[in-house]
Amino acid sequence: MSFNIFICGVGGQGLVLLTNVLGRACLKSGFKAITGEMYGLSQRSGSVSVHMRIGDDAYSPLIPVGEGDVLVALEAIEALRYIEYLKKGGLALVNRRVMHPPVETAGLVRDRSRKYFSLEDVVSRLRSYTGRVAVIDALAAAKEAGNPNAENTVFLGCLSALRELPLDPEKVREAIAEAVPERTVDQNLRAFELGRAAAREALCGSGVCRD
């Protein structure tokens, strides 16, 4: 069996660093891990996605449609773009942030009466696919940690709180300290802990937390 994590967001949110940290933690834990990264127009806030598969049975870097155990969306609308990769009953960890694509933003500025997807719209549609949706205010947690760019690390904390993740949280913590710039280590470790706390608050009632 493999444990499949589908990660999505937009360019600049640190998906590749998030994946690198998970890969380091897998190496430290003795697990095989393979990834497939897909870049869109990432320099223009375009869609970015990463397939990550952990376990001896993972032979392809790409997660088959409907076989993701967890969907991590660093931008809320991207969760809708890729929800088909999540298995029925899988867990969706979704950032509160809705970031309008530039083309849509221009249209909204020209016509203020137009409405774009709200977070509530996104969550409602996700819940028609899976009942396990957790909304995480990663930006608020990252700011509280002292580094607004650490939303990706907040989600590492969320993942490490899950009983299903076959990794020791301490190995993830060690991997963060090795992978981020030295001057931001303390901020990122703080963001990691705040992510764990946010996941416990959002999920522990459903019995999926590690402790």
Side-chain angles (χ1 to χ4, degrees):
M1 293 290 289
S2 62
F3 185 75
N4 300 323
I5 307 171
F6 193 96
I7 306 164
C8 56
V10 299
Q13 289 194 294
L15 276 75
V16 174
L17 177 61
L18 190 162
T19 308
N20 287 342
V21 169
L22 285 175
R24 284 173 183 256
C26 287
L27 283 175
K28 291 173 177 290
S29 303
F31 287 110
K32 172 186 171 184
I34 53 177
T35 66
E37 299 163 0
M38 296 185 178
Y39 304 97
L41 297 174
S42 57
Q43 296 301 314
R44 299 180 183 179
S45 299
S47 180
V48 181
S49 63
V50 179
H51 298 239
M52 179 149 208
R53 310 188 73 194
I54 302 171
D56 289 338
D57 291 344
Y59 298 107
S60 163
L62 300 182
I63 300 170
V65 168
E67 294 190 18
D69 294 287
V70 179
L71 173 77
V72 176
L74 274 71
E75 195 282 330
I77 295 172
E78 293 299 310
L80 292 179
R81 192 189 305 278
Y82 296 109
I83 190 63
E84 64 181 352
Y85 283 96
L86 188 66
K87 67 183 181 185
K88 289 292 184 182
L91 174 63
L93 290 172
V94 182
N95 199 349
R96 286 188 61 85
R97 290 188 76 181
V98 174
M99 300 168 70
H100 302 157
V103 173
E104 289 292 335
T105 302
L108 295 171
V109 170
R110 285 194 300 271
D111 181 0
R112 301 284 183 174
S113 67
R114 284 181 54 188
K115 300 293 183 185
Y116 196 62
F117 273 98
S118 67
L119 176 66
E120 291 72 23
D121 294 331
V122 172
V123 172
S124 175
R125 292 192 180 204
L126 292 176
R127 286 190 170 142
S128 70
Y129 187 88
T130 177
R132 300 172 71 201
V133 179
V135 178
I136 305 297
D137 194 344
L139 181 58
K143 286 180 177 177
E144 184 178 344
N147 185 350
N149 295 324
E151 288 178 282
N152 50 357
T153 312
V154 171
F155 277 98
L156 284 167
C158 294
L159 285 169
S160 73
L162 301 178
R163 187 187 306 129
E164 297 170 88
L165 184 74
L167 294 174
D168 182 343
E170 186 57 34
K171 300 300 182 186
V172 181
R173 194 179 286 110
E174 289 175 11
I176 292 170
E178 293 173 358
V180 304
E182 186 174 351
R183 67 181 184 284
T184 68
V185 168
D186 289 344
Q187 296 166 345
N188 276 281
L189 292 179
R190 174 67 175 152
F192 173 80
E193 295 301 337
L194 290 171
R196 282 177 63 82
R200 288 194 196 100
E201 182 177 346
L203 297 168
C204 283
S206 56
V208 301
C209 290
R210 191 179 298 270
D211 48 39

